[in-house]
Amino acid sequence: MMQPTANTRVIALIDCDNFYASCELVWRRELQTRPVVVLGSNDRCVIARNRFAKALGIPMGQPYARCRALLQRHHGVAFSANFPLYQDMSNRIMRLLASFGYPVEIHSIDEAFLDLSMFPHQKLTALAHAIRQRLLQWTGIAVTCGIGASKVQAKLACEYGKSNPQQCHGVCNLLEWSPQNLETLLTHTLAEDVWGIGQRYASRLQRELGILTARGLRDADHLHLRHVLGVSIQRIALELRGICCLPIITASKPRQTIMVALSFAHPITNRPSCLQAIACYVALAAHKLRRQQLHTAHLSVFLSTNPFDAQAPQYVNSAAHTLPFPTSFTPELIQVAQSLLSSIYRPGYAYKKVGVLLSDLRPQHVLQPDLFQQFSWEEQARRARLMAIVDLVNAHLGQSTLFWGAQGLHRPWFPHAALRSPRATTNWQELLALD
């Protein structure tokens, strides 16, 4: 058994099991023992599965048309992606984890790292089970907890716990393992399966250093690894040894970009519909900007045909513009985006997707006027008041209660989600009702 000292870092990874599918099952308990899949944009491909759907051999990314019959034969159910619900459930889970009083780093929508170094090491497994029980009781979401002396070890433990549910019961604590068992685990773990490695680095490790497994990576000369593959691979090797190189970061990371890009329900062959779509996407992106109290100074748009339609002519293009002053004013951003899209639009193509990317993001309270008095504080204040009113009305009366004329009244191209479950936690009109 590993003997942690008082100075040993203890990192736990909390990973929600089949998160999107689990969120759907919270509200449909009668489906707990049936195959369930969640579909992506326009209900085309599988983006999440529960364990019964995995047992049927349904892979991630498979078109729904190819597995629909299989699901029906086994009384399976498909749901359209319900991202407002998933994000709200994630927020609840993260708040619950924070309530335990230990530093929490939100790694993704369904993963979080906890620093448990100050907790008595002999009681770590009991604490992990208590965390699992509270999350399951208060949110209905089952999680797997992996514990190690570093983030990479915690990730390794979590993957083992998921692969061996009957043995681990949702908790895998590598600090309780004997050195022999740990050696066996590392020997049977391929290098490409180590968090942060992937196929590209795994190929280089095999080709240049002859390393195939996690054990080989751990035992390699870390200075030589840094020279050959860079500091990130060196840190992973050290983390496999139990040396914590990736600390828990509790502060939220500032956003670098905001993108909205959705595939159309059906191909678009005319300019007005493309301009209408980019206006809607810009309005969504601008709302995200204001919600995070940011401005953007750079805007890019792109459009593309369907790359999977081999019979149709293909066209992809993009354009970008640097704004004279950072802003989150939706009408200005729509005007710039539509101008850019018009410059790259070409008739004669069936377009499947347009998108907008906002970059060079800055805090909205930091404004730099110019020397030539083109910037107006009065106009800036007027725009801020207008957008605040629009956001307030939409927050109280529903999204798109107020919208811009460029977004259009009828949007047949808008991505559909015919199988979406109710947004029971974020929309008053979709609250669950008793029969």
Side-chain angles (χ1 to χ4, degrees):
M1 178 183 299
M2 298 177 64
Q3 294 297 331
T5 66
N7 296 324
T8 300
R9 295 295 296 275
V10 178
I11 306 296
L13 173 63
I14 307 298
D15 189 354
C16 301
D17 299 338
N18 310 314
F19 181 60
Y20 289 174
S22 296
C23 288
E24 299 291 352
L25 294 176
V26 167
W27 313 101
R28 298 286 300 276
R29 308 300 292 184
E30 72 276 10
L31 302 179
Q32 290 287 343
T33 58
R34 293 164 60 182
V36 173
V37 299
V38 177
L39 307 176
S41 179
N42 293 306
D43 298 339
R44 283 195 169 88
C45 296
V46 175
I47 62 171
R49 311 149 295 164
N50 70 347
R51 60 189 180 94
F52 297 102
K54 292 178 181 178
L56 293 179
I58 299 175
M60 286 285 286
Q62 184 179 58
Y64 178 49
R66 294 185 182 178
C67 64
R68 182 189 288 114
L70 179 63
L71 276 174
Q72 291 174 348
R73 284 199 304 271
H74 292 83
H75 308 287
V77 179
F79 290 98
S80 302
N82 191 345
F83 293 113
L85 172 66
Y86 307 154
Q87 186 61 62
D88 185 67
M89 295 296 290
S90 174
N91 294 340
R92 296 183 181 201
I93 290 171
M94 300 308 167
R95 287 195 296 268
L96 273 175
L97 291 176
S99 70
F100 282 89
Y102 299 99
V104 178
E105 176 185 336
I106 300 175
H107 181 62
S108 66
I109 193 172
D110 63 343
E111 291 180 303
F113 288 104
L114 274 68
D115 189 342
L116 303 180
S117 303
M118 301 304 293
F119 193 80
H121 294 167
Q122 65 274 18
K123 299 180 180 179
L124 286 170
T125 301
L127 173 64
H129 282 293
I131 291 175
R132 290 189 72 250
Q133 180 60 31
R134 182 179 296 184
L135 291 176
L136 182 62
Q137 181 180 358
W138 289 20
T139 68
I141 302 296
V143 303
T144 299
C145 180
I147 301 175
S150 64
K151 284 185 176 180
V152 174
Q153 281 196 1
K155 186 73 172 180
L156 197 65
C158 196
E159 293 300 325
Y160 183 85
K162 285 186 172 184
S163 303
N164 300 271
Q166 301 300 324
Q167 175 184 347
C168 298
H169 304 289
V171 175
C172 178
N173 184 359
L174 292 186
L175 300 180
E176 294 181 343
W177 283 32
S178 67
Q180 293 78 14
N181 289 339
L182 187 58
E183 291 293 310
T184 301
L185 174 63
L186 295 177
T187 301
H188 288 86
T189 301
L190 296 177
E192 67 181 52
D193 294 331
V194 176
W195 181 51
I197 298 297
Q199 293 184 350
R200 184 169 67 90
Y201 276 120
S203 297
R204 292 189 61 187
L205 284 169
Q206 180 180 359
R207 183 174 63 252
E208 300 178 26
L209 300 174
I211 295 174
L212 297 174
T213 65
R215 180 179 179 180
L217 179 60
R218 181 202 62 182
D219 295 339
D221 183 345
H222 69 91
L223 295 177
H224 186 56
L225 282 174
R226 177 169 184 164
H227 175 73
V228 176
L229 296 174
V231 67
S232 60
I233 305 302
Q234 178 195 27
R235 289 172 179 164
I236 292 173
L238 292 174
E239 289 243 331
L240 284 172
R241 300 180 187 181
I243 302 173
C244 189
C245 302
L246 304 172
I248 297 292
I249 302 174
T250 56
S252 59
K253 300 177 183 178
R255 291 290 296 266
Q256 301 297 318
T257 60
I258 291 177
M259 173 181 281
V260 177
L262 302 172
S263 298
F264 302 136
H266 56 78
I268 288 179
T269 57
N270 60 85
R271 185 195 302 261
S273 293
C274 285
L275 294 178
Q276 186 186 82
I278 200 66
C280 290
Y281 295 173
V282 168
L284 289 173
H287 177 66
K288 293 182 180 181
L289 267 181
R290 294 190 295 274
R291 191 170 57 192
Q292 299 176 41
Q293 300 183 346
L294 295 172
H295 283 167
T296 181
H298 192 80
L299 184 149
S300 305
V301 300
F302 70 88
L303 80 169
S304 68
T305 54
N306 185 357
F308 301 104
D309 188 354
Q311 306 301 321
Q314 300 296 313
Y315 177 71
V316 179
N317 207 344
S318 63
H321 178 74
T322 299
L323 301 169
F325 304 104
T327 185
S328 60
F329 188 52
T330 300
E332 179 181 357
L333 295 175
I334 288 177
Q335 182 180 10
V336 172
Q338 289 189 328
S339 176
L340 291 174
L341 191 67
S342 295
S343 69
I344 60 176
Y345 179 87
R346 298 292 181 270
Y349 294 96
Y351 294 102
K352 186 60 178 174
K353 190 174 188 178
V354 301
V356 58
L357 174 68
L358 306 181
S359 55
D360 193 4
L361 306 185
R362 309 174 185 182
Q364 66 179 13
H365 62 272
V366 178
L367 292 173
Q368 178 63 54
D370 66 324
L371 296 174
F372 306 102
Q373 298 183 348
Q374 294 183 358
F375 182 86
S376 169
W377 289 104
E378 291 76 10
E379 178 65 15
Q380 180 67 26
R382 185 191 70 81
R383 291 181 171 189
R385 288 195 299 270
L386 174 59
M387 298 315 306
I389 292 172
V390 170
D391 292 339
L392 185 63
V393 170
N394 287 337
H396 281 274
L397 300 181
Q399 187 178 7
S400 296
T401 300
L402 293 180
F403 59 91
W404 310 100
Q407 297 176 241
L409 294 174
H410 304 289
R411 305 164 191 169
W413 48 265
F414 198 81
H416 64 258
L419 305 174
R420 192 189 67 193
S421 58
R423 294 165 290 186
T425 65
T426 60
N427 191 303
W428 285 106
Q429 283 70 41
E430 298 180 19
L431 288 175
L432 294 180
L434 296 177
D435 295 331

